[in-house]
Amino acid sequence: MSTISTRVVEVNGVHLNVATAGDGPAVILLHGFPHTWRIWSAVIPELATRHRVIAPDLRGIGGSERALGGYDATTLASDVLAVLDELDEGHFSVVALDAGVAPAFLLAAKHSDRVARLVVMEGLIGSLPGAEDFLAGGLPWWFGFHSVPGLAESVLAGNERAHTDFFLRQGTADGQGLQGEVRESILDAYGDAESLRCAFEYYRAAQANSTDIAAAASARLTVPAMAIGARPVGDSTYRQLRPIADDLRGHVIPDCGHIIPVDAPRPLLDLIGPFLDAE
């Protein structure tokens, strides 16, 4: 079994914690909220038998530097490119979950010369049409709560771990959340006000992301893509991509919660393994 190692790289003026494993064509895994690279722990070992797996903590998260700014998807995509340059990887595939979906889409849309394949799951792509059913009742409550600068951090002072654990439990089909060392490491990663401030900056960048994504979506998405849904996003991401993608596959994993790599690692690997390996 391939050993997972971590290192800190400096890119775009911030220090990012990056986990790597295996050899072969590069695959970068982008987490969401409230996650770290550890959310991929159950899928990295098998992917690493055929790929060089690269799983960063996105800026401000986990072992990465608590940057003052740069949480918009365009800057995050630039961070990813810089990490791959630092690791001497010219071509790569991208697999992204939740908040990682927006920068992953921009990577594929703007850098098709470097991105081999794109997998996005359980995250909306800006305000592109197609997610109307999901948004029929409005955005989930926490989008507004997290978006107001300074509010959520002050309200949650002293209760950061409980707030994080709520989302970990909500993200699994049985409501039990994560277990063991991975759970504790993620609770620790979001356990103070500054860490939450950085996490909430992802929500505060929503308008900038929508603008940049809309501009990128004015051209065709030529990179082969796969959209995977579960609960609650379902096929919304697939429907957002369908009008603009040249080569798109869509799947919804039944009886699976939002955090797919935790809740259904085997079905996920069965879907993305052959897709990433395809010529």
Side-chain angles (χ1 to χ4, degrees), residues 5 7 22 37 42 67 137 205:
S5 61
R7 60 184 287 191
W37 76 264

Side-chain angles (χ1 to χ4, degrees), residues 31-54:
H31 64 77
F33 168 84
H35 314 148
T36 68
W37 76 264
R38 299 288 301 274
I39 213 76
W40 305 103
S41 295
V43 302
I44 288 176
E46 183 166 325
L47 285 179
T49 63
R50 301 182 304 281
H51 297 274
R52 187 185 189 190
V53 180
I54 301 165

Side-chain angles (χ1 to χ4, degrees), residues 123-148:
L124 297 186
I125 302 174
S127 54
L128 294 185
E132 292 79 11
D133 289 349
F134 174 70
L135 297 172
L139 285 169
W141 63 265
W142 56 87
F143 278 70
F145 179 50
H146 292 169
S147 294
V148 180

Side-chain angles (χ1 to χ4, degrees), residues 225-275:
M226 176 180 288
I228 303 174
R231 188 193 69 194
V233 178
D235 68 347
S236 295
T237 315
Y238 171 80
R239 289 188 283 113
Q240 286 185 300
L241 287 176
R242 187 171 55 192
I244 63 170
D246 288 348
D247 183 351
L248 177 65
R249 299 152 181 80
H251 303 276
V252 175
I253 299 177
D255 303 317
C256 179
H258 177 64
I259 314 175
I260 295 175
V262 168
D263 224 21
R266 183 70 260 161
L268 175 60
L269 284 163
D270 289 344
L271 289 173
I272 68 173
F275 179 69

Side-chain angles (χ1 to χ4, degrees), residues 12 17 19 21-22 37 42 49-50 72 76 110 118 155-156 166 178 211 251:
N12 291 340
N17 182 54
W37 76 264
T49 63
R50 301 182 304 281
D72 59 284
L76 296 171
K110 295 183 176 183
L118 171 68
V155 171
L156 295 169
F166 167 82
L178 281 66
T211 299
H251 303 276

Side-chain angles (χ1 to χ4, degrees), residues 14-16 31 57-69 71 76 79 189-190 194-199 202:
V14 297
H15 294 85
L16 300 185
H31 64 77
D57 285 334
L58 299 177
R59 69 163 56 205
I61 305 298
S64 292
E65 183 179 343
R66 304 298 186 257
L68 291 177
Y71 294 94
L76 296 171
D79 286 350
Y190 292 87
E194 179 60 7
S195 296
L196 285 188
R197 194 274 303 172
C198 295
Y202 284 78

Side-chain angles (χ1 to χ4, degrees), residues 23-222:
D23 293 294
V27 175
I28 191 158
L29 309 178
L30 304 182
H31 64 77
F33 168 84
H35 314 148
T36 68
W37 76 264
R38 299 288 301 274
I39 213 76
W40 305 103
S41 295
V43 302
I44 288 176
E46 183 166 325
L47 285 179
T49 63
R50 301 182 304 281
H51 297 274
R52 187 185 189 190
V53 180
I54 301 165
D57 285 334
L58 299 177
R59 69 163 56 205
I61 305 298
S64 292
E65 183 179 343
R66 304 298 186 257
L68 291 177
Y71 294 94
D72 59 284
T74 296
T75 302
L76 296 171
S78 178
D79 286 350
V80 171
L81 284 179
V83 167
L84 290 157
D85 289 342
E86 186 72 18
L87 299 180
D88 296 320
E89 293 291 353
H91 294 84
F92 55 93
S93 294
V94 187
V95 178
L97 170 70
D98 189 71
V101 165
F105 170 78
L106 290 178
L107 282 169
K110 295 183 176 183
H111 301 280
S112 58
D113 58 326
R114 295 188 63 177
V115 178
R117 291 181 173 261
L118 171 68
V119 178
V120 289
M121 64 186 91
E122 282 293 291
L124 297 186
I125 302 174
S127 54
L128 294 185
E132 292 79 11
D133 289 349
F134 174 70
L135 297 172
L139 285 169
W141 63 265
W142 56 87
F143 278 70
F145 179 50
H146 292 169
S147 294
V148 180
L151 174 63
E153 300 94 303
S154 62
V155 171
L156 295 169
N159 294 291
E160 293 89 353
R161 288 171 66 92
H163 187 69
T164 301
D165 201 35
F166 167 82
F167 291 98
L168 297 181
R169 288 185 283 106
Q170 288 289 108
T172 53
D174 61 7
Q176 297 302 304
L178 281 66
Q179 304 298 323
E181 183 184 358
V182 173
R183 173 181 177 272
E184 291 303 314
S185 71
I186 291 176
L187 293 181
D188 289 344
Y190 292 87
D192 59 84
E194 179 60 7
S195 296
L196 285 188
R197 194 274 303 172
C198 295
F200 299 156
E201 293 292 345
Y202 284 78
Y203 291 87
R204 294 162 190 169
Q207 184 56 56
N209 292 348
S210 291
T211 299
D212 292 348
I213 286 169
S218 63
R220 300 292 299 175
L221 179 67
T222 59

